Amino acid sequence: MTDSQHQTQKLPLLRVEDLTVRLRGEAGIVHAVSDVSFQLQRGQTLGIVGESGSGKSVMARALMGLLPRRATQQLDGRVSLAVDGRVLELLKLSEREFRTLRGPRLAMVFQDPMTALNPVLTLGVQIAEPLQLHLGLNKAQAMARALELLAQVGIPDPEGRLRQYPHQLSGGMRQRVVIAIALACDPRVLLADEPTTALDVTVQRQVLDLLLALQRERQMGMVLITHDLGVVANRADHIAVMYAGRIVEYAPTSRLFSAMRHPYTEALFKSVPRLSDPSHTRLHAIPGRPPQLIDPAPGCAFAPRCPNVQQRCRRETPALTQAGDEHLHACFYPIGSREVGA
Amino acid sequence: MPIESGNRRRTPAEPLPVRRKTSYGSAGRASRALSFSVAVRQVFGSGFGTGFWLAAGWLLLVAACALFATVLPVRDPLDPVIVNRLNAPFTTNWLGADGLGRDMLSRLVHGARVSVVISLTAVSIGMLIGGSLGILAGYFRGRFERALMAVLDVILAFPWLVLLLALVAFIGQSLMAISLAIGLLWIPAYARVARANTLSVVQREYVLAARAMGASTLRILLREVLPNVILPVLAYGLVAMGLVVIVESALAFLGLSVEAPQPTWGGMIAEGKRHLAVAPHVALVPSITMFLTVLSLNYVGDRLRSRFEVKESNL
Amino acid sequence: MSETSNPQLRARDDIVLKVEHLVVTFDVGRELVQAVSDVSFDIARGETLGLVGESGCGKSTVGRAIMQLPPPKGGKVIFKGQDITRLEGEALRKTRTALQMIFQDPISSLNPRRRVKDIIAEGLQIWERPNQRARVEEVMEAVGLDPETAADRRPHQFSGGQCQRICIARSLALDPDVLICDEPVSALDVSVQAQILNLLEDMKARYQLTMVFVAHNLAVVKHISDRVAVMYLGKLCEIGSVDAVYQHPSHPYTQALLASIPELETSQEDAIPLLQGDIPSPMNPPSGCRFRTRCPKAQAICAQQEPAMQASPSAIDDHFVSCHFPD
């Protein structure tokens, strides 16, 4: 027993190996996620950054076991979750086994707080439901816990809110409720898929700070998925940059920003308008557009838009390789160590 | 009403599944034929399956019968050959004979004419009047819309059969009169479908953009609204035609459709009722024909409608 | 009267567009909501005015009210010396062509049933301009679309960024004086957003445009604007040159907005406290200063009296703020 406990201490909380997802689309097979691997330790935050179509949301759904079964052509790789002193192979679980994990072990916060809540149920019922289901609390206990959760996510007048419906809340408040529901059963891993994209700037900051505070307090592992480098810049411990379904660079946050190796990471970084630039500064746009994920051409997916493209890039797909301590990149001709940002 | 149409970043379209159609490629004019087949596939889609084509084939057959009834090599539908009376199918007549010894096949073919004419005319009337009213209501909103909707609700609340009987009694029992009566009955449904579609189109920014260009109201209605409303309305038309066929047969059953001896499917079923015990085929043959026709109309209409809906979400 | 209460309106002779006391109301069920109340500003020839604020602040409504889509409830929109709120019918339609608009959702802005060349030529056809084909090809090339391959396709065959290029080409075809951009890049990916922003700058230079740029992203607005107006709940809080507003923000709301932007450069510790709470409903805005419910500096007077526009303490020319306690 102690031995296995010792084991789980060393084991990463969530370990993803060569996750590959192919979906059936109208126009063909979509190579949504290809060979994605990463690890998440307890109490750490992994930021996943990518543009639309980079496969980041599909990956999150795959981890949650929420891919539409009929549309899934292929789902390969290994996803191991270390909880309760054992290691679960998520992709091998049946739908019924998986259902017992969603909520108490794995939880997800979605982008649009309006559609994530049921409009005809009160907030109290929606928060209490998973508590009754997974933790076996009775109704009164569940409601008391719901009250506590609402207070924890910073909702003023939680007693009154319990009886309210989603439409009576503002967007920011709704997202706090969604977070409360996700945290209801004290999950070990929280997947947040663009949790603040639908919110206003001033509210976005509040919600991100709340997520991070709760994550630290509960020592959860958090995967924060976003299209905005700025959202993860100060919050994630590690950042994975995704492009066309693959992780193209992975590094501890500070290292990524100080010494980015992949041309896409750099181009993405440079194309973001900055407050520190003077007005009418020309932006560094990435030419072209993200590739189609149907029948991808051989070679590096970024090759057609890459400034340093070589012959080899169009023939072979670069694998994710070690470039230093915890720093990986998938590029044949990475940018030499270079100071960026100052 | 949203005060601000939204500063939010729209949901980034994650590929689940990616629906972007493959582009034509830059080959240009060289592949006219290819791009035509792509266009056909974009209008009609590629994945309809055999069921759709079987249904469409049946509908084409019915339409052809109606169109060429007089020149087809079938017997005279009004000629009673008493010796053949109530003969079963595949004996003296392919599909048997009715109570007066008239050829069933020939009566079906000529009856198709009535069904096709009535359903086409009735649906066209409903589509033209109801569709235009619906588009206008959806575009202009306000008092006109409220008044129109109130009137339509009253009509819809009325038992349709009673209304139809009154209309037929009033305008008569000719083919055109019956079509007109059923057509009037379809106006409310069409107005609703057209209005709902118009409401969603009017919210699109391209309508606003056209106004910013200085386009007149008429131009906006014809160029921006109509082309986007007409496809779902047309697809609904097929389902409506199926219902019209049934409504006509109900009238015929009550003896209020086109007057005898002109054959209609509904009339044939009504007549077959008398011989049900001895010769069930007299009622069954037209019933099956009608069943297949209505089923095909619904199936084709449904598939086309879902195709357009997918296309909308695709855009 | 307007001169005294609107010090932010400049006395220059190259003012192309002037908005005075603009009021826009919406019918929401039984109530009337003032989405925009008493907003005034002006734009000089060749200038880009950035209009920023969070959702529901009325910035997009201002953009549409300038176009008279729909006409505002009150106030004036003076374009080249003419109050266009008084125009109707043909005259309004004709004047409107000199003001063009680009919208947030490029895909919903294009009629899916029409070809690209017809979409771009729409305005030219309506006004029966000569040489339509040449003009369409010219603007298509200007925005980086190949007329040869793109003209005969339909919008759904293009990506979001390309659709926004088509929208820009359409708005330029009639050679407008003023281009109103309503969140033109917020539906686009970061890498595409930069392309479109650069394109807008190029088009502004090439076609001598005056622009109103409505957006919620302050960094984007800073990049493209000469002057910036900050709105909150239908009111103007602060207006001034980009340098004035970004370097010396006088209104507490502007300061809070700037502080809440997620920045790439790490370790910016909060000198300014973050805003608490959410935006109040525009159905019943707070009395006095509308920002007072979230303002760290709010005093009794803020609830009683609405602050007037006044010169900012920054002492920068043409920098104005409506706050009882500006910095």
Side-chain angles (χ1 to χ4, degrees):
Chain A
M1 186 63 204
T2 46
D3 188 42
S4 86
Q5 244 170 11
H6 183 68
Q7 282 270 306
T8 53
Q9 283 298 311
K10 279 199 301 183
L11 277 175
L13 179 61
L14 180 72
R15 185 193 181 99
V16 176
E17 283 165 278
D18 299 320
L19 181 69
T20 298
V21 183
R22 305 261 182 278
L23 298 173
R24 272 185 286 265
E26 220 175 58
I29 303 299
V30 182
H31 294 233
V33 179
S34 306
D35 304 320
V36 163
S37 305
F38 62 82
Q39 296 183 358
L40 182 66
Q41 300 289 348
R42 219 171 149 242
Q44 288 214 321
T45 299
L46 170 68
I48 293 188
V49 179
E51 298 181 90
S52 60
S54 63
K56 56 193 195 301
S57 286
V58 174
M59 188 207 68
R61 280 169 207 233
L63 296 185
M64 288 294 290
L66 290 175
L67 285 176
R69 195 153 288 188
R70 281 186 342 136
T72 311
Q73 164 90 13
Q74 186 193 346
L75 177 60
D76 279 341
R78 275 181 70 180
V79 180
S80 339
L81 179 72
V83 282
D84 311 327
R86 57 206 176 102
V87 177
L88 297 169
E89 291 297 327
L90 294 189
L91 297 187
K92 296 199 177 110
L93 294 184
S94 71
E95 171 58 27
R96 247 184 59 203
E97 289 168 307
F98 219 126
R99 208 177 303 146
T100 61
L101 294 180
R102 277 184 227 125
R105 298 291 167 257
L106 281 166
M108 190 157 173
V109 175
F110 297 90
Q111 172 176 344
D112 187 348
M114 193 64 230
T115 52
L117 293 172
N118 187 335
V120 298
L121 295 180
T122 62
L123 302 177
V125 170
Q126 295 191 54
I127 305 172
E129 206 178 358
L131 293 167
Q132 290 170 272
L133 196 71
H134 290 295
L135 304 187
L137 302 184
N138 65 32
K139 195 160 181 209
Q141 286 170 322
M143 277 296 177
R145 179 93 181 97
L147 194 69
E148 230 172 89
L149 282 162
L150 280 186
Q152 273 178 27
V153 295
I155 288 185
D157 179 29
E159 287 95 345
R161 297 290 184 191
L162 278 181
R163 282 184 298 278
Q164 287 192 325
Y165 291 90
H167 70 92
Q168 291 168 294
L169 269 66
S170 66
M173 284 298 152
R174 272 184 219 132
Q175 194 62 301
R176 285 169 190 268
V177 173
V178 172
I179 292 171
I181 294 174
L183 296 182
C185 301
D186 207 10
R188 303 318 307 143
V189 177
L190 184 67
L191 298 170
D193 187 4
E194 303 261 9
T196 57
T197 305
L199 304 177
D200 276 309
V201 172
T202 54
V203 183
Q204 173 175 338
R205 183 83 182 261
Q206 298 170 16
V207 171
L208 284 172
D209 289 350
L210 170 73
L211 268 177
L212 217 69
L214 291 166
Q215 181 254 342
R216 288 204 181 120
E217 186 188 308
R218 294 162 176 244
Q219 285 294 296
M220 290 182 293
M222 181 156 84
V223 180
L224 184 57
I225 298 169
T226 177
H227 67 279
D228 187 349
L229 269 171
V231 164
V232 287
N234 294 318
R235 296 181 174 85
D237 300 294
H238 291 81
I239 291 181
V241 179
M242 282 186 79
Y243 188 77
R246 290 174 188 275
I247 291 182
V248 294
E249 188 158 11
Y250 176 93
T253 304
S254 56
R255 184 164 168 88
L256 184 86
F257 281 101
S258 60
M260 40 189 68
R261 305 298 302 275
H262 199 284
Y264 174 66
T265 314
E266 192 193 47
L268 190 67
F269 182 78
K270 280 187 174 169
S271 65
V272 180
R274 238 61 83 70
L275 270 184
S276 47
D277 291 341
S279 177
H280 299 297
T281 308
R282 193 121 186 120
L283 291 165
H284 293 270
I286 310 178
R289 55 176 164 135
Q292 302 265 335
L293 296 176
I294 297 164
D295 305 324
C300 172
F302 189 60
R305 306 172 79 187
C306 183
N308 331 335
V309 61
Q310 308 282 325
Q311 277 305 317
R312 187 179 172 199
C313 306
R314 302 186 201 278
R315 287 194 313 264
E316 296 169 52
T317 309
L320 205 56
T321 48
Q322 199 84 20
D325 195 25
E326 285 199 289
H327 193 161
L328 298 112
H329 63 73
C331 181
F332 294 125
Y333 308 98
I335 303 160
S337 265
R338 179 190 309 186
E339 294 302 310
V340 196
Chain B
M1 170 181 294
I3 303 286
E4 186 90 33
S5 69
N7 316 334
R8 280 118 192 229
R9 192 175 183 279
R10 284 289 168 96
T11 327
E14 284 293 325
L16 214 146
V18 166
R19 284 233 197 79
R20 205 163 284 152
K21 295 253 161 74
T22 41
S23 55
Y24 287 176
S26 48
R29 322 208 184 302
S31 55
R32 264 281 155 74
L34 177 74
S35 60
F36 177 75
S37 79
V38 172
V40 166
R41 238 189 303 138
Q42 281 187 342
V43 174
F44 296 108
S46 46
F48 275 127
T50 23
F52 175 84
W53 294 114
L54 277 177
W58 173 259
L59 291 179
L60 265 179
L61 182 72
V62 171
C65 286
L67 198 59
F68 303 113
T70 46
V71 293
L72 282 175
V74 289
R75 303 186 194 182
D76 183 350
L78 303 180
D79 181 25
V81 183
I82 298 298
V83 283
N84 293 343
R85 201 174 161 265
L86 296 181
N87 270 357
F90 310 114
T91 54
T92 48
N93 307 64
W94 276 16
L95 292 179
D98 70 0
L100 294 174
R102 293 175 295 196
D103 182 46
M104 294 284 290
L105 175 65
S106 154
R107 287 182 70 75
L108 274 185
V109 168
H110 282 85
R113 202 162 230 203
V114 176
S115 296
V116 168
V117 168
I118 291 187
S119 51
L120 274 181
T121 329
V123 168
S124 308
I125 291 171
M127 205 182 289
L128 274 177
I129 302 178
S132 328
L133 285 174
I135 290 178
L136 294 177
Y139 188 78
F140 291 108
R141 314 289 319 258
R143 216 173 289 166
F144 171 65
E145 183 191 27
R146 262 173 280 150
L148 180 77
M149 285 301 132
V151 172
L152 297 182
D153 283 342
V154 170
I155 299 179
L156 278 177
F158 220 82
W160 61 269
L161 196 57
V162 177
L163 195 65
L164 200 55
L165 294 180
L167 278 172
V168 171
F170 187 66
I171 38 186
Q173 263 174 281
S174 73
L175 196 57
M176 274 304 127
I178 302 234
S179 307
L180 186 68
I182 300 181
L184 292 177
L185 215 63
W186 275 100
I187 291 175
Y190 266 106
R192 287 193 161 272
V193 172
R195 174 176 157 270
N197 279 291
T198 307
L199 286 179
S200 77
V201 167
V202 166
Q203 279 174 6
R204 295 294 188 98
E205 273 98 5
Y206 56 78
V207 175
L208 217 53
R211 290 176 68 189
M213 278 318 144
S216 62
T217 304
L218 184 67
R219 191 182 170 98
I220 291 173
L221 282 174
L222 291 181
R223 295 263 175 131
E224 313 291 340
V225 179
L226 189 64
N228 287 289
V229 171
I230 202 149
L231 283 175
V233 168
L234 279 176
Y236 178 68
L238 289 173
V239 179
M241 280 169 80
L243 283 165
V244 169
V245 170
I246 291 176
V247 167
E248 185 277 325
S249 74
L251 276 184
F253 206 80
L254 295 171
L256 285 166
S257 185
V258 185
E259 282 178 90
Q262 166 81 294
T264 78
W265 292 353
M268 290 167 74
I269 296 172
E271 196 196 310
K273 190 183 63 168
R274 276 187 281 152
H275 312 290
L276 217 48
V278 276
H281 74 269
V282 182
L284 270 180
V285 167
S287 297
I288 291 169
T289 312
M290 204 163 90
F291 169 77
L292 287 177
T293 309
V294 176
L295 183 71
S296 303
L297 282 168
N298 286 345
Y299 192 73
V300 171
D302 228 40
R303 293 306 294 271
L304 285 179
R305 200 171 45 187
S306 67
R307 173 68 47 168
F308 296 138
E309 271 159 18
V310 169
K311 272 195 88 167
E312 291 298 333
S313 66
N314 212 345
L315 295 170
Chain C
M1 179 200 117
S2 59
E3 304 309 309
T4 52
S5 61
N6 278 324
Q8 75 271 30
L9 295 180
R10 296 165 293 177
R12 284 167 60 161
D13 51 9
D14 61 345
I15 296 296
V16 174
L17 187 72
K18 183 155 73 172
V19 172
E20 282 182 61
H21 301 291
L22 192 74
V23 176
V24 182
T25 54
F26 286 128
D27 243 326
V28 179
R30 246 170 272 158
E31 285 170 89
L32 276 184
V33 174
Q34 271 206 352
V36 176
S37 55
D38 198 11
V39 165
S40 307
F41 56 82
D42 55 14
I43 309 167
R45 183 172 309 284
E47 217 173 37
T48 299
L49 175 77
L51 212 50
V52 289
E54 294 174 273
S55 60
C57 75
K59 56 188 192 300
S60 291
T61 314
V62 168
R64 289 176 190 206
I66 294 172
M67 298 288 297
Q68 311 294 305
L69 290 170
K73 201 82 186 181
K76 292 181 191 168
V77 176
I78 295 162
F79 172 62
K80 289 183 168 174
Q82 187 183 25
D83 182 4
I84 59 172
T85 57
R86 292 166 176 273
L87 297 178
E88 271 178 15
E90 178 87 3
L92 173 61
R93 293 203 288 122
K94 207 155 214 158
T95 313
R96 204 142 59 185
T97 57
L99 302 158
Q100 283 300 319
M101 206 162 176
I102 307 170
F103 302 94
Q104 170 174 3
D105 184 347
I107 292 163
S108 153
S109 310
L110 299 171
N111 187 339
R113 309 260 175 245
R114 303 188 69 186
R115 287 172 202 286
V116 169
K117 63 176 180 201
D118 296 324
I119 290 173
I120 296 174
E122 173 78 5
L124 302 170
Q125 283 174 14
I126 293 171
W127 300 103
E128 293 166 354
R129 298 278 172 89
N131 302 327
Q132 295 183 4
R133 224 192 124 135
R135 179 71 185 165
V136 168
E137 282 179 9
E138 196 224 308
V139 290
M140 282 184 79
E141 266 160 22
V143 299
L145 291 169
D146 177 15
E148 187 82 351
T149 53
D152 285 313
R153 298 208 209 162
R154 287 179 212 275
H156 62 89
Q157 293 171 292
F158 294 90
S159 67
Q162 284 174 305
C163 282
Q164 199 57 291
R165 286 174 196 269
I166 299 171
C167 292
I168 294 171
R170 167 175 63 185
S171 66
L172 294 175
L174 280 173
D175 207 5
D177 295 307
V178 177
L179 188 62
I180 297 169
C181 308
D182 185 3
E183 300 266 7
V185 294
S186 43
L188 304 175
D189 272 312
V190 189
S191 67
V192 182
Q193 167 180 306
Q195 294 174 9
I196 299 295
L197 287 173
N198 286 343
L199 175 68
L200 281 171
E201 290 273 49
D202 294 344
M203 293 302 105
K204 188 186 158 190
R206 177 164 174 174
Y207 294 100
Q208 286 106 44
L209 298 168
T210 302
M211 288 210 296
V212 180
F213 193 93
V214 177
H216 68 282
N217 184 326
L218 278 111
V220 167
V221 166
K222 184 177 180 191
H223 264 262
I224 201 150
S225 308
D226 303 298
R227 249 165 97 76
V228 180
V230 182
M231 287 184 70
Y232 185 78
L233 270 184
K235 290 271 183 193
L236 205 57
C237 302
E238 183 164 0
I239 185 167
S241 67
V242 165
D243 287 339
V245 173
Y246 283 79
Q247 306 305 326
H248 307 280
S250 300
H251 199 287
Y253 178 60
T254 316
Q255 295 167 358
L257 268 183
L258 285 168
S260 51
I261 299 181
E263 267 285 42
L264 293 175
E265 282 72 26
T266 35
S267 80
Q268 34 144 20
E269 267 326 302
D270 316 320
I272 298 144
L274 269 182
L275 281 190
Q276 291 306 309
D278 289 342
I279 307 166
S281 156
M283 306 274 272
N284 42 5
S287 65
C289 174
R290 295 190 174 186
F291 183 57
R292 70 174 165 82
T293 52
R294 300 171 79 194
C295 182
K297 290 180 172 179
Q299 307 280 326
I301 186 178
C302 301
Q304 291 147 13
Q305 203 182 332
E306 199 179 315
M309 267 289 171
Q310 51 174 313
S312 153
S314 71
I316 299 172
D317 280 351
D318 295 324
H319 182 196
F320 295 88
V321 61
S322 71
C323 177
H324 291 297
F325 307 101
D327 281 317

